[in-house]
Amino acid sequence: MNFIPVNEPLLDGNEKKYLNECIDTGWISSEGSFVKQFEEQFAARVGRKHGVAVSNGSVALDAAVAALKISQRDEVILPTFTIISCAAAIVRAGAVPVVVDCDPCTWNMDVTQIEAKITPRTKAIMVVHIYGLPVDMDLVVALADKYGLDIIEDAAEMHGQTYKGRPCGTFGAISTFSFYPNKHVTTGEGGMLLTDDDHLAERCRALRNLCFQPQKRFVHHELGWNFRMTNLQAAVGVAQLERVDEFVARKRHMGQRYTELLSDIPGLQLPVPRTDYAENIYWVYGVVLKDEVPFDAEEAMLRLKKHQIATRPFFWGMHEQPVFKKMGLFDGEFCPVAERITRRGFYIPSGIALTDEQIDQVAHALYELML
Ligand SMILES: *Cc1c(COP(=O)(O)O)cnc(C)c1O
């Protein structure tokens, strides 16, 4: 029995060809032409005016928060059940992250809890689409309009996904993506900010590039970062983007096959295949152990490892993070759904290169684990 990794990307398109072009021409830095091409093609694909490529999806969030001038004591509402990058971007800006719990079925932020958390200090809602289904956006958009808040949309896991037919990545004043190898489109490491606003795009470009000025290059009015993407990364991205529809279809096939194979295992909560606003794209295939199962996710993952199957735990809620507790954040915060699924949930191999045989092997091991 062969080891099944939790993720393996597919790099057998034009990746090598475009990388060779970079090497042959000597264009390997962020000045190369693949960067612009990738930005334009990615933005066009999602349906946004501007794309700003950066070195990863985490710093895309830092740049988004800075571009929107969110700072000292401003509050930003976000789901507790997400990656640390989201809250880190808010905290590093000196602002205050305010969390809401998640929905027990979709694992996305419970949008009905947002309004009660809005205060005069609230500046933005950071939505994060989780694992394959989008956040239920209608209410978020209505609240943002009603209270004059910006939406920052972390669409890192949503390549090719739509909400009621509208592409994910079009809902934010700034929307961000990641191109880590477990995302539907990868550049190894990489990220992108998308916006329709010329001024915000300009700010994102400046922040990415140390806030150098076009005229007086080394005179700075604001602090930026070096968040630039290299031409090598963008070359891989252009090749990957050519196949995004195929990749999304593969992921959907993977999800459907897993669901068919696993749906009669008692004790296992599976991802929701569809809601009235979207069909799951299965960024990862997550499972949650129901309460009656006598072991937790940590134990399940250990046992699957003995069957040569790699897994990853679910996100750990922001309100339970030791690093934020030490800062005095989230004191007394209680998010029962997130607290349960972080302990009972994990995801199984979900990469684009996963074969049907591997899916069957994983399903078989889960049967042995659960019966
Ligand atoms: C992957 C991911 C990120 C971070 O992207 P990196 O490129 O790994 O920094 C941010 N947000 C979400 C929701 C993600 O899944």
Side-chain angles (χ1 to χ4, degrees):
M1 215 158 35
N2 291 323
F3 175 75
I4 305 182
V6 79
N7 176 66
E8 206 179 326
L10 266 186
L11 300 166
D12 53 356
N14 284 321
E15 288 82 356
K16 237 181 224 171
K17 181 175 162 215
Y18 299 158
L19 280 170
N20 277 336
E21 266 179 60
C22 298
I23 307 279
D24 292 344
T25 60
W27 285 105
I28 57 173
S29 80
S30 60
E31 292 290 310
S33 62
F34 280 116
V35 177
K36 199 150 185 287
Q37 193 182 334
F38 186 45
E39 288 178 336
E40 286 173 0
Q41 289 178 353
F42 194 84
R45 159 81 210 192
V46 179
R48 299 302 299 260
K49 193 166 171 197
H50 302 284
V52 181
V54 290
S55 28
N56 57 67
S58 300
V59 301
L61 290 164
D62 286 289
V65 167
L68 291 167
K69 299 197 165 149
I70 290 166
S71 63
Q72 295 297 326
R73 297 169 56 185
D74 289 339
E75 293 174 3
V76 180
I77 297 171
L78 78 163
T80 193
F81 188 70
T82 183
I83 190 167
I84 191 85
S85 317
C86 303
I90 297 164
V91 170
R92 287 205 176 103
V96 181
V98 175
V99 293
V100 297
D101 202 356
C102 54
D103 178 274
C105 299
T106 65
W107 309 322
N108 267 305
M109 71 195 296
D110 180 351
V111 294
T112 65
Q113 295 184 16
I114 294 174
E115 190 161 21
K117 300 266 182 171
I118 295 173
T119 76
R121 290 226 175 94
T122 308
K123 267 291 186 62
I125 304 170
M126 185 184 280
V127 296
V128 189
H129 310 295
I130 297 289
Y131 291 175
L133 282 172
V135 171
D136 194 353
M137 288 304 299
D138 283 347
L139 185 58
V140 181
V141 171
L143 288 172
D145 284 348
K146 181 174 168 190
Y147 291 96
L149 309 175
D150 283 322
I151 294 176
I152 301 170
E153 181 188 18
D154 182 350
E157 305 172 3
M158 288 301 116
H159 298 268
Q161 181 58 292
T162 57
Y163 173 83
K164 294 187 176 173
R166 175 174 162 186
C168 292
T170 63
F171 288 92
I174 300 177
S175 302
T176 64
F177 281 86
S178 162
F179 307 114
Y180 190 70
N182 63 4
K183 307 303 203 269
H184 293 75
V185 167
T186 185
T187 60
E189 302 284 352
M192 184 90 71
L193 298 113
L194 297 180
T195 184
D196 296 329
D197 183 306
D198 299 347
H199 173 69
L200 279 178
E202 219 29 68
R203 276 190 62 72
C204 292
R205 289 208 175 89
L207 287 162
R208 158 183 80 174
N209 195 26
L210 294 167
C211 292
F212 286 135
Q213 294 194 94
Q215 273 81 41
K216 292 193 167 185
R217 183 173 174 82
F218 293 112
V219 178
H220 301 262
H221 291 282
E222 200 176 345
L223 287 180
W225 296 274
N226 177 355
F227 285 165
R228 300 185 299 261
M229 175 183 273
T230 69
N231 205 43
L232 296 165
Q233 292 167 309
V236 174
V238 169
Q240 287 270 299
L241 198 55
E242 292 168 350
R243 300 175 70 187
V244 61
D245 292 324
E246 176 198 340
F247 290 166
V248 170
R250 270 176 170 265
K251 286 277 209 173
R252 285 209 164 112
H253 167 76
M254 170 206 74
Q256 281 153 13
R257 192 174 179 95
Y258 268 138
T259 299
E260 271 168 35
L261 294 168
L262 301 175
S263 53
D264 50 341
I265 299 184
L268 214 53
Q269 181 194 340
L270 306 180
V272 178
R274 64 185 57 75
T275 62
D276 57 3
Y277 47 82
E279 204 186 317
N280 207 317
I281 55 163
Y282 303 99
W283 171 58
V284 294
Y285 196 93
V287 297
V288 174
L289 302 168
K290 291 184 184 165
D291 291 341
E292 68 263 25
V293 177
F295 48 86
D296 63 5
E298 217 172 287
E299 173 69 25
M301 290 189 292
L302 213 63
R303 293 196 205 173
L304 287 168
K305 199 174 163 198
K306 291 191 182 127
H307 286 269
Q308 305 291 328
I309 288 159
T311 55
R312 288 282 183 283
F314 267 20
F315 292 131
W316 193 260
M318 293 305 107
H319 72 291
E320 291 200 275
Q321 295 291 344
V323 61
F324 293 141
K325 292 260 173 212
K326 270 190 282 185
M327 296 175 181
L329 289 167
F330 307 125
D331 197 28
E333 193 69 58
F334 178 51
C335 299
V337 178
E339 287 169 32
R340 180 173 56 81
I341 67 169
T342 57
R343 287 163 177 82
R344 312 284 300 170
F346 60 95
Y347 65 87
I348 56 182
S350 313
I352 284 162
L354 201 67
T355 64
D356 283 357
E357 292 69 34
Q358 289 176 314
I359 293 171
D360 296 351
Q361 190 184 324
V362 174
H364 184 75
L366 268 167
Y367 259 93
E368 294 206 338
L369 172 77
M370 298 299 297
L371 295 178

